[in-house]
Amino acid sequence: MSFLLVNQLSRIFDLSEPWILRKIKGQQKKLLKAVDKVNFSIERGQTYALVGESGSGKSTIAMMVAGLIKPSSGFITIDGYNFFSPTIENNIKSSLRKSVQMIFQSPYASLNPRWRVGDVLKEPIKAFNLIESENGQKRRVCELLEQVGLSERDINKFPHEFSGGQRQRICIARSLASEPKLIICDEPTSALDVSVQAQVLNLLKDLQKQFSLTYLFISHDLAVVSTMANRIGVLKQGILVEEASPNKLFEKPEHDYTKMLLTAAPDIKNVSKIP
Amino acid sequence: MKLPFLESDLYYNFKRTPVAVLSFFVFLIIVIMAIFADIIAPHTPFEPLTLNLLNGFTPPMQANEFTGTIFLMGTDDQGRDLFSTILFGLRISLFVGLMAVFLAMVIGVTLGLIAGFVGGVLDSVIMRFADIQITFPSILVAMLIYGVAKGLLPPDLRYEMSITVLIISIGLSEWVPFARTVRGSTLVEKEKEYVISARMLGLSYPQIMVRHILPNILSPVLVIATITLALAIITEATLSFLGVGVPTTKPSLGTLIRIGQDFLFSGEWWILLFPALTLLLLALSINLFGDWLRDMLNPKLK
């Protein structure tokens, strides 16, 4: 069985006005199908990328996999366990939370501006009771900082003292702190400079090898996706319209929407031909 | 030694805003005078033995007929030194004001955090209740709560509890601005990714609210607390002026103004003027300082 299995996943948001206003104005309920019967699976140690425009439901899927939004129908299992199964026990839910972590798009909003880096990284360690002793926690924080290419000296700094790329490294360190198996990367590089993007992507790849991590990678940047993913799923208005390996998707896209996405992306080969 | 505060933008701007510096120091002097009233005051106005009725209605800067000491601000009908009475009155006014603001802040911040973070029905209930309360003038709400509390207390406790009751009634009438502001800021903060990442750790709602959101929404709370302090002191003075506030044996500024009012048209102007001026100076300095603080902490005005 696959490590992450997403089966017939749907999520409907209720955008209608309050009941009483609806009755007065005589309106129907307004429902938005953000995600519509999506199926995919990821094997352990692989990277699966979801691409699509904004509003296509990528982040909603990410939030459901992370266990923060309840699916309207369908289910997700991670290592065989389901966050929203009615029979789930609390200790399994806690270990599930521990094994799924997330890296966010904006490195500016994803760190609490009033917390020092050391406290940010200690939080998951304390929340899951991984290390009891104060010294052990500190050692672990230093280790994490070194793993993402920062140094021990940064432990007492505040987030605003770092650049965007460095902050994203801190976020990666935080997501590694609970020793997860699955990391959801929600557009981790789209707020960064191109040169920094490459560094962060390489770091993610190295960490994947080192800790045999599984990535659910969400992006609208096809260039980024092509370097990272083993499989790519194309989302359009909540529906998974095409799924293929990167090579096949870039060589022979089948769905019109995928072709449109590919033509919209800037192509370096063509740029160099301009005299 | 390097103090981080002395290098902050806030302090830099403070030094370059004369109104802020002036209002801050006026407020500071008033507070110090209230705290050390025992030492500064030439008389203890509540010690009947030291009073002499023959000193009654002495105008400002006139000497005591018996001891020769000068009454800086004159005396009232009982021969009490007005300056000393004002110092002790300030102490009560400031105490009631500060405690009331603290109470309002605790209630408002808690309810605002819950309303903003939990949302849904709880949010609607809390905020509609706040809407209803704000349609009444806060002085009316304070009087209502004061009246009800006085009615509920046994008669022998009424006298001792009157300051506590006053604090509670002013505190309960001023929590709405805190709750509204905190709810708004919480709605912004809770969507930020650091809160989502805290939720992914399985932290409970109170943990996330207190450890993550609260420290990030405190600057507007500070501004409202400053402005509400002036409001609370004025509300207390108004209540005491109307005779429903502190007991006459522990006169606050409002009580002194009420007493002074009786003598205004018989020529003893100082009994009214000096307590009223003190109240004006206190409220004005807090308000001016609060205005400056609001402008500084509001990123849109920078």
Side-chain angles (χ1 to χ4, degrees):
Chain A
M1 196 171 149
S2 309
F3 176 69
L4 175 79
L5 181 72
V6 172
N7 188 8
Q8 292 289 316
L9 188 71
S10 300
R11 172 69 210 199
I12 296 164
F13 287 110
D14 190 350
L15 300 179
S16 40
E17 291 187 68
W19 174 83
I20 192 144
L21 284 179
R22 221 166 56 231
K23 290 291 164 204
I24 292 168
K25 293 181 187 168
Q27 289 172 339
Q28 295 293 309
K29 273 200 160 190
K30 267 188 229 153
L31 298 177
L32 174 78
K33 265 194 177 175
V35 178
D36 193 5
K37 296 197 181 93
V38 168
N39 293 303
F40 65 88
S41 62
I42 318 178
E43 300 302 324
R44 195 182 290 271
Q46 303 273 301
T47 302
Y48 187 97
L50 282 172
V51 292
E53 298 170 308
S54 54
S56 60
K58 307 174 301 232
S59 291
T60 311
I61 293 181
M63 297 292 259
M64 285 193 282
V65 173
L68 295 174
I69 301 181
K70 201 174 192 283
S72 301
S73 66
F75 64 86
I76 303 161
T77 60
I78 300 158
D79 225 358
Y81 295 111
N82 181 351
F83 258 118
F84 296 104
S85 133
T87 56
I88 190 165
E89 288 160 30
N90 272 338
N91 58 341
I92 293 178
K93 203 166 179 174
S94 169
S95 72
L96 204 52
R97 283 202 197 285
K98 185 172 155 289
S99 57
V100 184
Q101 285 300 315
M102 199 159 170
I103 303 168
F104 300 95
Q105 175 174 13
S106 159
Y108 296 94
S110 54
L111 295 168
N112 189 335
R114 310 231 169 214
W115 282 31
R116 291 176 196 277
V117 171
D119 297 324
V120 169
L121 297 183
K122 263 182 215 162
E123 196 185 26
I125 301 173
K126 283 179 183 163
F128 295 118
N129 282 327
L130 296 177
I131 301 165
E132 291 285 333
S133 74
E134 193 73 25
N135 270 335
Q137 287 176 358
K138 201 173 172 200
R139 239 177 293 131
R140 172 79 176 132
V141 168
C142 295
E143 185 188 74
L144 285 166
L145 282 173
E146 268 159 34
Q147 274 167 3
V148 297
L150 295 168
S151 89
E152 259 177 62
R153 288 190 308 266
D154 299 326
I155 200 162
N156 282 324
K157 289 186 188 164
F158 282 103
H160 65 83
E161 295 173 59
F162 294 93
S163 69
Q166 285 173 320
R167 281 163 175 245
Q168 203 59 298
R169 285 168 190 271
I170 298 167
C171 293
I172 294 171
R174 174 177 60 188
S175 67
L176 289 175
S178 63
E179 295 159 11
K181 294 172 191 154
L182 172 68
I183 294 184
I184 303 161
C185 310
D186 189 354
E187 311 229 19
T189 57
S190 59
L192 304 175
D193 276 349
V194 180
S195 58
V196 183
Q197 274 186 16
Q199 293 171 10
V200 171
L201 290 176
N202 283 335
L203 174 66
L204 283 172
K205 271 188 167 176
D206 293 344
L207 293 170
Q208 182 169 36
K209 265 185 228 145
Q210 200 178 342
F211 300 109
S212 60
L213 295 166
T214 310
Y215 286 150
L216 173 60
F217 201 93
I218 287 165
S219 184
H220 60 259
D221 189 337
L222 288 164
V224 168
V225 164
S226 65
T227 64
M228 290 296 291
N230 302 101
R231 299 231 8 122
I232 300 175
V234 181
L235 268 178
K236 185 195 178 190
Q237 292 174 358
I239 301 169
L240 198 64
V241 291
E242 188 170 354
E243 195 195 290
S245 63
N247 284 338
K248 183 168 170 292
L249 195 85
F250 282 90
E251 300 294 321
K252 268 194 221 159
E254 276 172 15
H255 196 275
D256 289 341
Y257 182 69
T258 317
K259 285 177 197 159
M260 197 196 83
L261 276 183
L262 287 172
T263 48
D267 192 341
I268 296 162
K269 284 176 211 151
N270 290 342
V271 172
S272 60
K273 275 179 198 163
I274 295 168
Chain B
M1 200 179 83
K2 265 168 81 180
L3 285 169
F5 175 75
L6 293 179
E7 285 163 25
S8 67
D9 292 351
L10 203 65
Y11 182 69
Y12 180 86
N13 194 291
F14 176 75
K15 278 193 298 187
R16 277 155 189 76
T17 316
V19 177
V21 176
L22 187 70
S23 58
F24 180 72
F25 280 104
V26 167
F27 177 64
L28 205 65
I29 290 168
I30 292 178
V31 169
I32 289 171
M33 279 167 68
I35 291 173
F36 298 106
D38 291 316
I39 303 165
I40 298 170
H43 285 92
T44 316
F46 312 114
E47 199 70 64
L49 277 176
T50 64
L51 301 177
N52 195 321
L53 277 179
L54 288 175
N55 280 328
F57 301 125
T58 312
M61 302 309 287
Q62 300 269 325
N64 187 326
E65 281 187 37
F66 303 95
T67 60
T69 50
I70 285 173
F71 289 121
L72 203 60
M73 293 178 179
T75 62
D76 64 1
D77 56 335
Q78 309 282 320
R80 269 190 292 237
D81 177 35
L82 213 53
F83 179 60
S84 314
T85 328
I86 287 173
L87 289 186
F88 282 97
L90 259 177
R91 187 189 260 189
I92 291 167
S93 286
L94 274 173
F95 176 73
V96 171
L98 283 170
M99 294 308 285
V101 168
F102 183 72
L103 181 68
M105 190 164 79
V106 170
I107 297 171
V109 169
T110 314
L111 289 179
L113 263 178
I114 294 172
F117 194 76
V118 179
V121 180
L122 205 56
D123 178 24
S124 299
V125 171
I126 292 173
M127 293 330 285
R128 287 308 80 72
F129 189 77
D131 288 347
I132 293 167
Q133 186 172 335
I134 213 155
T135 56
F136 298 102
S138 64
I139 185 92
L140 197 65
V141 177
M143 276 180 87
L144 185 76
I145 299 166
Y146 190 82
V148 171
K150 280 264 172 167
L152 289 177
L153 282 172
D156 48 327
L157 273 179
R158 268 180 214 167
Y159 183 75
E160 305 160 30
M161 297 283 287
S162 61
I163 285 192
T164 318
V165 171
L166 193 62
I167 289 169
I168 292 172
S169 51
I170 296 173
L172 287 180
S173 69
E174 303 281 2
W175 64 274
V176 176
F178 287 100
R180 284 196 166 167
T181 316
V182 167
R183 175 180 173 268
S185 313
T186 307
L187 287 178
V188 175
E189 290 298 319
K190 81 165 178 180
E191 297 300 328
K192 288 200 178 158
E193 283 138 347
Y194 70 88
V195 177
I196 297 177
S197 110
R199 284 172 59 195
M200 289 200 63
L201 299 177
L203 298 183
S204 66
Y205 278 9
Q207 275 177 316
I208 296 175
M209 283 194 271
V210 173
R211 285 165 57 189
H212 286 275
I213 297 181
L214 189 61
N216 287 302
I217 55 171
L218 276 183
S219 54
V221 171
L222 196 68
V223 174
I224 297 181
T226 328
I227 291 164
T228 311
L229 177 62
L231 258 175
I233 289 172
I234 291 173
T235 308
E236 184 276 326
T238 315
L239 284 174
S240 299
F241 181 79
L242 294 171
V244 292
V246 293
T248 35
T249 49
K250 291 180 199 161
S252 72
L253 286 178
T255 326
L256 294 176
I257 294 170
R258 189 189 69 212
I259 296 168
Q261 190 214 202
D262 297 340
F263 306 107
L264 181 61
F265 295 107
S266 55
E268 285 85 21
W269 48 270
W270 59 89
I271 307 178
L272 174 71
L273 184 71
F274 290 116
L277 271 182
T278 315
L279 180 65
L280 178 87
L281 213 57
L282 179 61
L284 192 66
S285 66
I286 298 173
N287 265 334
L288 287 175
F289 185 72
D291 277 355
W292 168 79
L293 200 63
R294 184 196 57 203
D295 292 351
M296 273 313 96
L297 297 178
N298 186 349
K300 282 179 202 148
L301 291 177
K302 261 189 184 170

